Amino acid sequence: MTHHLAALAAFVILAAPLAAQDNYEIQVYGAETVAPAVTMVELHSNYTTDGESSVVDGVQPTNHALHETVEITHGFTDWFEVGFYFFTNVQQGGWHYVGSHIRPRVRVPPSWHWPVGVSISQEVGCQDRAYATERCNYEFRPIVDRQAGPWYWAVNPSIEVPLSGPDRRASFAPNVKVSYDFSKVITGGFEYYGGWGPVSGLLPEDQREQQLFPALDLHLAPEWELNAGVGIGLTSATDHTILKVIVGRRLPR
């Protein structure tokens, strides 16, 4: 009981500001949290092969930028985890530390036996203004998913709120994943990432950021995670092509 109260207190304290880093952590979240006393260490490697080549609103170009993000997540109970991110950017000028975020997450416990997985992620942090349109951000991400035989789907209707700058309007950033287990080792499917603009007035469809990733998940061993995909921009407001790889390792106590 003491551990549960401590976890709940940590969640309340941390449930203030934070937002997803564009092109730094490209992932549709599943509802499952990291198991108690287990730490997941992940490396997100995202390379923009064809992107923005000019400085826009003070933000450095993404074209030929390699974004390396280290994510460390620890499970405290079967319904609560906390993740921490280190964002970096590699371009011709060298390797740059961009910023860090923290992400507490709770889910509906497995003992409740809901027909779908449900969790709530909240992410807050700050980054170098040269690599993001806002200095600090907050993200509220509901997560719903389900495994039905070989089919899997997950929906993340995220809300992102700038915590600095003149425009503090919340924006809508939906993410969706649909995949199929071709074998015990190989899962293939599609991931969608969107940036639809302010909730109070969504952007016209051709001005929204929208990317579609054909992606593979390889289940090589229970302690390992491997995800790879090629992102294709669906609008002129989106980087045209991004390559992404996520490698994760679970470390028991």
Side-chain angles (χ1 to χ4, degrees):
M1 182 65 175
T2 302
H3 294 303
H4 287 192
L5 291 176
L8 182 59
F11 173 73
V12 172
I13 292 171
L14 295 172
L18 204 47
Q21 233 352 65
D22 291 347
N23 294 359
Y24 284 84
E25 190 247 343
I26 305 174
Q27 182 178 22
V28 179
Y29 283 60
E32 185 176 3
T33 52
V34 173
V38 172
T39 299
M40 169 72 87
V41 179
E42 295 173 285
L43 176 65
H44 301 256
S45 301
N46 304 316
Y47 180 68
T48 305
T49 60
D50 185 5
E52 179 59 57
S53 57
S54 303
V55 176
V56 178
D57 191 23
V59 178
Q60 294 299 306
T62 57
N63 193 49
H64 294 173
L66 173 63
H67 293 166
E68 297 281 9
T69 298
V70 175
E71 177 184 358
I72 301 172
T73 306
H74 184 77
F76 292 91
T77 71
D78 65 354
W79 54 268
F80 176 70
E81 69 176 22
V82 175
F84 194 79
Y85 300 89
F86 297 90
F87 302 114
T88 68
N89 180 79
V90 186
Q91 280 177 300
Q92 293 180 351
W95 202 308
H96 304 278
Y97 169 69
V98 174
S100 296
H101 286 188
I102 190 169
R103 177 188 53 77
R105 181 149 71 104
V106 295
R107 70 157 169 167
V108 171
S111 59
W112 291 14
H113 302 296
W114 280 24
V116 295
V118 177
S119 64
I120 297 292
S121 169
Q122 299 193 76
E123 186 174 324
V124 61
C126 296
Q127 51 278 328
D128 190 330
R129 180 62 179 82
Y131 300 98
T133 54
E134 301 297 341
R135 181 78 178 86
C136 298
N137 306 80
Y138 165 74
E139 177 192 84
F140 178 81
R141 182 188 296 241
I143 302 162
V144 181
D145 73 353
R146 178 167 183 175
Q147 184 81 44
W151 288 98
Y152 172 81
W153 58 262
V155 179
N156 302 176
S158 306
I159 301 296
E160 300 176 356
V161 183
L163 299 176
S164 60
D167 189 352
R168 304 291 182 90
R169 292 179 297 173
S171 60
F172 182 51
N175 301 333
V176 178
K177 177 172 183 172
V178 178
S179 64
Y180 182 85
D181 294 334
F182 293 99
S183 70
K184 293 182 178 179
V185 176
I186 300 175
T187 297
F190 294 91
E191 300 172 4
Y192 168 84
Y193 300 90
W196 290 15
V199 174
S200 58
L202 298 179
L203 295 171
E205 189 169 343
D206 60 348
Q207 296 180 26
R208 299 174 184 176
E209 294 182 5
Q210 301 192 74
Q211 285 179 325
L212 187 65
F213 278 77
L216 285 176
D217 293 286
L218 300 182
H219 314 287
L220 303 178
E223 65 271 20
W224 286 97
E225 173 189 272
L226 179 60
N227 170 269
V230 179
I232 302 166
L234 304 180
T235 67
S236 59
T238 313
D239 285 337
H240 299 304
T241 313
I242 296 177
L243 308 178
K244 74 150 181 166
V245 176
I246 303 172
V247 179
R249 178 71 159 84
R250 292 176 179 85
L251 305 175
R253 188 187 331 188

